[in-house]
Amino acid sequence: MHYIIGTRGSKLAIAQAEYVREKLQDAWPEDEFTIQTISTKGDRILDKPLQEIGGKGIFVQEIEQALLAGKIHIAVHSMKDMPVVPEPGLMFAPCMEREDSRDALILRTAASFEELPEGAVIGTGSIRRKAQLLRMRPDLKIVGIRGNVDTRIRKLFSEKLDGIVLAAAGLHRLGQGDKITQYLSYEQMLPSPAQGVLGLEICEGSEEIKRLLLPLWDEESDRTAKAEREFLRLCGGDCHLPTAAVCERIKGGYRLRAMTGNADGSSLSFADVQGEWAEELAEIAIRQIFLTRQLQPQMTAQLSLQKDRKKGMVYLVGAGPGDPSLITVRGMQVLKQADCVIYDRLVSTDLLSCTSVECECICVGKSNRSHIMEQDKIQKLLIHKAGQHSCVVRLKGGDPFVFGRGGEEALALKDAGIPCCIVPGVTSAAAAPACAGIPVTHRGVAGGFRVVTAHGRENSLASIDFDSMAKGKETCIFLMGLSHLNEIVSGLLRAGMPGETKAAVVSMASTREQRICEGTLLNLAARAGRENLKSPAVIVVGDVVGLRKYLPVWEGETSFSQSTERKCRILLPVTDSGENALEQMLDQRGFYVEGVPVGEIVYENHIYTREEVIRPDWLVFTSRHGVRGFIKQLMASGLDLRDLSGVQIACVGEKTSDVLRESGLRADFIPSVANAATLFSELSADLSAGSLVWYIKGTETAHTEAEVDSLSKNIYWESKTVYANREVSGEKICAENYDTAVFTCASAASRLIKRISLIPDTWQKNGVYSIGPSCTDRLRELGFKKIWQADKPGYENLCKQICRDFNKP
């Protein structure tokens, strides 16, 4: 598909649109994205202040008309220039990652703001900046100045101004950050609401475009920008009043610093507030200002609307036992209508893909032994979100009223005066046994069943009436009891239940990880211990367990084996989505693979000049991330592939070369063996004396500049860092649950070792798998004894090695 991005014609606007285009092209390489420039009233009238010619909307009217007419699909703006409410039929997509939000000084002669002479002349067209400058230095003379960034910088010298104030974000995006004399701190000058944020405007109801933009969303930037723009809305939402706001993440919540004043900026009021939720800080800030001065009439009116805000409906929805297809029809209907979903760890994330693009999804991460958010905070969160959204879904595994604390949440909502509706779910108490081929009741075998939780306070065993269970004829079902299996079995035996009573543990019911351990009360705990079963698990005790040999096990949309043969379980530490291809290869060949994030790729920001990029004779890439990071920097610098016409390119192997081809470039040199050492050695031998080579790398690349330089004393090497492989923290991993592990880079090995208590004996016996020599060397350093290395680098070769060892086709 071909999509058109609309923007203003200034250099900055085009640079911003190109940045968005590049992000979209990376996310959707099969589609085509082009830029169309549109002239606006604000671009044409440069001799009057904004407040005299129409305020913020003068920069967007023509672009919005093109959007509504279907001439463009996405409009890119500076969010600080946007009206609070878009035109009818239009909406803002969630925000991308924010640039620097500070204001910056460019001074003609002085070295700092403090060194400006008395009566110095500063150029700015902003009431907000003027008011705050005069608050710091009443002696300054402020003159109006408009035009694009280059025009304003020219006027600094042609009109002999002492300085000008511009947004740091714009200078960075244009590659002119080196012209900044001084950044103004938030204590000196508060920025415009959402300064540094790109506003992506689209037509309402365009689901296709919403999904295109979803990979660009940065949750933290979106949350803080919305808080700042909410403050702007409460202040009247235009540039006729000096308004400023900046929201930052702090320990335990958020901090919002804000300012507003009268039309000429002669009277300013400030607020500095903190709270757990960014969204509610704007109203608190306005109320703080209200206590110190008489608000503008429109602010008071907005506050009245806030007081009368309607409370939304909260639905407590049961997600079922695990497989997403087992949610009820009503549960799915409510989920699709949700504005906000608050879900537990055990809920299948596939269900979240059924929500709308705008839906806010919050994981509160409850599991047996750990909580991202405690129960009282979850209840406060439900109440808080009900004040923001009309439809809030609390999505819980199984049924919300079966050991799900749904009753507590419903009572908390009732006390807060918030309407609540219960949508029952399929409880794992009955579903897990059914998925294992065990009916909880059967005529002549069990006339009923009893369900209890084994989870007590502080992870102890709950108080269970084992005596009545042992004497009864009903099937006994224990939820949340895997860690207490020995105590449960002992309790039943002490109470007189026969040792030969059939019993089973069903782990991860209805998912592709489902595993069943069957035995009797006498041997179940030992058997389950050898199987290293995972929670959630349901324990079933009673004669009905014996029926499973005659009955089918679960055969739903999730693909796990019905046979009792257990799949080989592989742990795969991953850095980015690239390893998904390896996971899919192994999964298709019958392995169970669990990818555990241990790192993320973050691309560095750097601006080049054309003179810089034509200097090297060669560019050397040793990873696909290096290629992508360098191309991003090239495009952000306002350059393109034509500027590399005189430069030759070397790649470490075919995979990196493929990514290079996706960018429109071809490798001039690929070594005989796909590893960095061979690349440097063979390329060095072919280079002419005096050649300049740029080594495009990440921050943690194994080969240092000194090592590379030592390969040839007649060749000049310069390292260019374009990305960082940052470690991702996470909870401890039970390595004993896996038969082996597969490593695709040395950093993944170093990071995984921090997340496991010790290297399991199983791994030392079976061996672990390495993609290449540097990864193998690191594994040996970390204490791994048996390491299987792929014959050649590449996921396909690594997958073949694993299949050979496990006799897979």
Side-chain angles (χ1 to χ4, degrees):
M1 286 290 292
H2 178 208
Y3 299 97
I4 301 173
I5 301 169
T7 188
R8 296 165 56 196
S10 70
K11 280 187 179 179
L12 176 57
I14 292 172
Q16 292 177 164
E18 177 58 33
Y19 176 73
V20 175
R21 189 201 68 78
E22 179 186 324
K23 291 284 188 184
L24 286 168
Q25 197 67 70
D26 285 346
W28 309 101
E30 301 300 320
D31 296 313
E32 181 183 0
F33 299 89
T34 57
I35 296 172
Q36 179 177 321
T37 59
I38 300 170
S39 177
T40 70
K41 181 180 178 182
D43 297 314
R44 297 189 292 270
I45 304 176
L46 301 175
D47 58 345
K48 294 181 181 180
L50 290 182
Q51 61 269 25
E52 292 183 14
I53 57 174
K56 290 180 180 289
I58 64 167
F59 290 113
V60 302
Q61 186 175 4
E62 290 84 354
I63 298 175
E64 289 182 331
Q65 288 172 351
L67 199 55
L68 288 167
K71 296 179 180 178
I72 61 175
H73 300 94
I74 303 164
V76 179
H77 314 278
S78 293
M79 188 64 99
K80 70 181 181 64
D81 296 330
M82 296 304 293
V84 174
V85 181
E87 285 293 304
L90 300 179
M91 62 172 288
F92 294 117
C95 296
M96 300 174 66
E97 186 175 3
R98 187 178 206 157
E99 243 288 359
D100 194 329
S101 62
R102 293 175 294 178
D103 285 301
L105 269 176
I106 300 180
L107 303 178
R108 187 165 56 87
T109 57
S112 69
F113 179 74
E114 292 74 20
E115 294 181 19
L116 283 169
E118 187 172 351
V121 181
I122 303 295
T124 178
S126 161
I127 305 173
R128 171 187 62 82
R129 289 172 178 152
K130 175 182 177 180
Q132 292 187 88
L133 285 168
L134 291 176
R135 180 172 176 266
M136 291 188 289
R137 289 278 300 271
D139 62 290
L140 296 177
K141 180 180 179 183
I142 311 299
V143 297
I145 181 173
R146 288 201 49 222
N148 61 39
V149 171
D150 290 335
T151 299
R152 297 188 199 195
I153 293 175
R154 269 199 313 273
K155 288 182 178 181
L156 169 66
F157 296 96
S158 64
E159 298 181 13
K160 292 185 169 51
L161 305 177
D162 292 291
I164 58 175
V165 185
L166 298 171
L171 292 165
H172 290 171
R173 287 178 177 134
L174 286 171
Q176 299 188 40
D178 57 342
K179 294 181 179 178
I180 296 172
T181 307
Q182 180 180 343
Y183 292 95
L184 295 172
S185 68
Y186 297 144
E187 287 71 27
Q188 292 173 302
M189 181 174 289
L190 291 177
S192 180
Q195 185 159 297
V197 175
L198 294 182
L200 306 181
E201 195 173 19
I202 61 177
C203 289
E204 284 184 337
S206 53
E207 296 298 325
E208 177 188 358
I209 305 300
K210 292 176 190 176
R211 295 200 178 276
L212 279 179
L213 294 172
L214 193 59
L216 278 59
W217 175 44
D218 183 79
E219 184 176 4
E220 201 62 47
S221 298
D222 191 56
R223 184 174 289 127
T224 54
K226 283 178 178 175
E228 294 164 20
R229 283 176 58 79
E230 176 65 5
F231 179 80
L232 177 64
R233 184 184 72 81
L234 293 174
C235 290
D238 209 337
C239 62
H240 292 88
L241 300 175
T243 307
V246 61
C247 184
E248 301 170 279
R249 172 66 107 159
I250 60 172
K251 186 176 181 180
Y254 293 86
R255 178 186 184 186
L256 177 69
R257 285 179 274 187
M259 178 213 76
T260 189
N262 57 6
D264 62 5
S266 59
S267 176
L268 301 178
S269 291
F270 292 81
D272 189 345
V273 297
Q274 298 181 15
E276 190 173 353
W277 315 108
E279 302 91 331
E280 64 188 15
L281 293 182
E283 184 178 347
I284 298 172
I286 284 288
R287 293 189 184 281
Q288 188 178 97
I289 290 174
F290 185 86
L291 296 175
T292 60
R293 68 187 292 269
Q294 183 62 44
L295 290 176
Q296 297 291 331
Q298 59 265 44
M299 296 185 205
T300 306
Q302 293 290 354
L303 283 176
S304 297
L305 288 175
Q306 289 289 102
K307 288 180 181 178
D308 298 333
R309 183 171 54 193
K310 184 179 178 181
K311 294 182 175 67
M313 170 72 81
V314 176
Y315 294 86
L316 303 184
V317 179
D323 186 280
S325 67
L326 294 180
I327 192 171
T328 64
V329 173
R330 178 56 178 157
M332 181 59 75
Q333 289 172 344
V334 172
L335 196 60
K336 289 180 177 179
Q337 298 167 5
D339 304 307
C340 176
V341 176
I342 299 168
Y343 64 98
D344 289 340
R345 178 184 66 89
L346 297 180
V347 169
S348 171
T349 52
D350 289 346
L351 288 173
L352 302 180
S353 64
C354 301
T355 62
S356 67
V357 175
E358 299 90 352
C359 181
E360 181 182 12
C361 297
I362 303 170
C363 178
V364 291
K366 293 185 68 179
S367 64
N368 188 25
R369 297 188 179 183
S370 63
H371 304 283
I372 290 176
M373 188 178 291
E374 296 296 333
Q375 184 63 33
D376 62 333
K377 289 190 176 181
I378 293 174
Q379 289 163 197
K380 290 178 182 178
L381 178 63
L382 285 170
I383 294 166
H384 173 70
K385 290 301 177 183
Q388 294 181 320
H389 302 292
S390 59
C391 179
V392 177
V393 169
R394 174 71 172 104
L395 193 60
K396 308 166 78 69
D399 181 274
F401 277 10
V402 180
F403 304 118
R405 305 188 76 171
E408 296 172 47
E409 293 171 359
L411 288 173
L413 292 166
K414 181 178 182 296
D415 291 342
I418 294 169
C420 172
C421 179
I422 311 302
V423 180
V426 179
T427 175
S428 60
C435 289
I438 302 171
V440 294
T441 63
H442 190 84
R443 188 170 60 177
V445 180
F449 63 96
R450 298 176 63 172
V451 183
V452 298
T453 176
H455 180 64
R457 292 183 178 274
E458 299 180 355
N459 297 320
S460 63
L461 179 67
S463 177
I464 300 172
D465 186 358
F466 288 116
D467 288 336
S468 64
M469 283 186 160
K471 293 180 177 65
K473 298 296 184 181
E474 300 88 2
T475 303
C476 298
I477 298 169
F478 301 84
L479 304 185
M480 296 178 280
L482 185 59
S483 61
H484 300 291
L485 181 56
N486 275 307
E487 297 168 86
I488 292 169
V489 168
S490 298
L492 291 170
L493 290 172
R494 281 197 308 270
M497 186 173 280
E500 63 273 15
T501 304
K502 297 285 187 180
V505 179
V506 186
S507 168
M508 303 293 289
S510 79
T511 73
R512 69 175 185 176
E513 301 174 64
Q514 175 172 309
R515 292 167 67 189
I516 306 160
C517 178
E518 183 182 350
T520 66
L521 281 183
L522 290 175
N523 61 23
L524 182 65
R527 287 187 177 186
R530 288 194 295 270
E531 287 292 320
N532 288 319
L533 301 178
K534 290 173 62 176
S535 292
V538 174
I539 301 164
V540 189
V541 180
D543 292 338
V544 289
V545 174
L547 296 172
R548 71 175 299 267
K549 60 185 175 183
Y550 307 111
L551 300 174
V553 298
W554 163 257
E555 187 179 5
E557 294 180 7
T558 308
S559 59
F560 66 84
S561 173
Q562 279 188 267
S563 71
T564 57
E565 180 184 353
R566 188 175 67 84
K567 288 188 177 184
C568 172
R569 298 173 62 81
I570 295 175
L571 182 65
L572 175 65
V574 298
T575 298
D576 71 344
S577 58
E579 282 85 0
N580 286 347
L582 177 58
E583 185 174 344
Q584 290 167 8
M585 290 178 195
L586 292 168
D587 185 71
Q588 289 167 3
R589 287 161 176 79
F591 294 95
Y592 169 70
V593 186
E594 183 164 351
V596 177
V598 294
E600 62 178 351
I601 299 300
V602 180
Y603 292 104
E604 303 280 342
N605 294 320
H606 183 79
I607 301 299
Y608 298 104
T609 63
R610 187 176 185 279
E611 289 71 25
E612 282 182 287
V613 298
I614 64 175
R615 281 180 55 237
D617 300 293
W618 283 82
L619 300 178
V620 174
F621 295 99
T622 56
S623 76
R624 64 185 185 276
H625 306 306
V627 174
R628 289 171 180 149
F630 180 74
I631 296 299
K632 287 174 184 290
Q633 293 183 353
L634 189 73
M635 296 302 177
S637 302
L639 305 175
D640 58 33
L641 303 184
R642 292 171 295 182
D643 296 296
L644 301 176
S645 59
V647 183
Q648 292 184 285
I649 300 174
C651 285
V652 71
E654 291 295 340
K655 290 296 182 184
T656 305
S657 178
D658 290 344
V659 177
L660 194 68
R661 278 194 292 273
E662 291 172 7
S663 304
L665 296 169
R666 290 186 180 276
D668 299 289
F669 180 88
I670 299 175
S672 58
V673 179
N675 61 56
T678 306
L679 169 63
F680 296 139
S681 177
E682 293 182 356
L683 180 63
S684 171
D686 288 350
L687 293 178
S688 303
S691 295
L692 173 61
V693 178
W694 276 12
Y695 174 28
I696 312 299
K697 60 189 283 291
T699 54
E700 295 187 1
T701 303
H703 292 268
T704 65
E705 188 171 346
E707 289 173 324
V708 173
D709 191 52
S710 68
L711 297 175
S712 175
K713 297 300 181 184
N714 299 318
I715 300 168
Y716 300 95
W717 297 80
E718 291 183 8
S719 292
K720 300 293 179 184
T721 301
V722 299
Y723 70 91
N725 182 345
R726 294 184 184 169
E727 186 168 0
V728 173
S729 60
E731 59 187 30
K732 282 286 186 181
I733 297 167
C734 185
E736 292 82 0
N737 287 345
Y738 304 92
D739 299 297
T740 187
V742 177
F743 298 92
T744 58
C745 63
S747 63
S750 299
R751 290 166 181 173
L752 183 71
I753 206 74
K754 299 176 185 177
R755 303 266 295 276
I756 63 178
S757 301
L758 50 84
I759 301 172
D761 292 339
T762 310
W763 292 12
Q764 300 290 36
K765 178 182 176 182
N766 295 339
V768 295
Y769 291 83
S770 164
I771 200 167
S774 62
C775 183
T776 299
D777 291 344
R778 182 67 58 83
L779 288 167
R780 287 200 181 99
E781 293 170 6
L782 294 170
F784 289 87
K785 295 177 181 176
K786 185 184 286 187
I787 304 164
W788 302 103
Q789 182 179 303
D791 298 337
K792 296 178 182 179
Y795 292 155
E796 294 88 349
N797 296 313
L798 186 56
C799 183
K800 287 177 183 176
Q801 176 73 50
I802 298 168
C803 289
R804 280 198 299 269
D805 292 343
F806 285 89
N807 298 316
K808 296 284 186 179

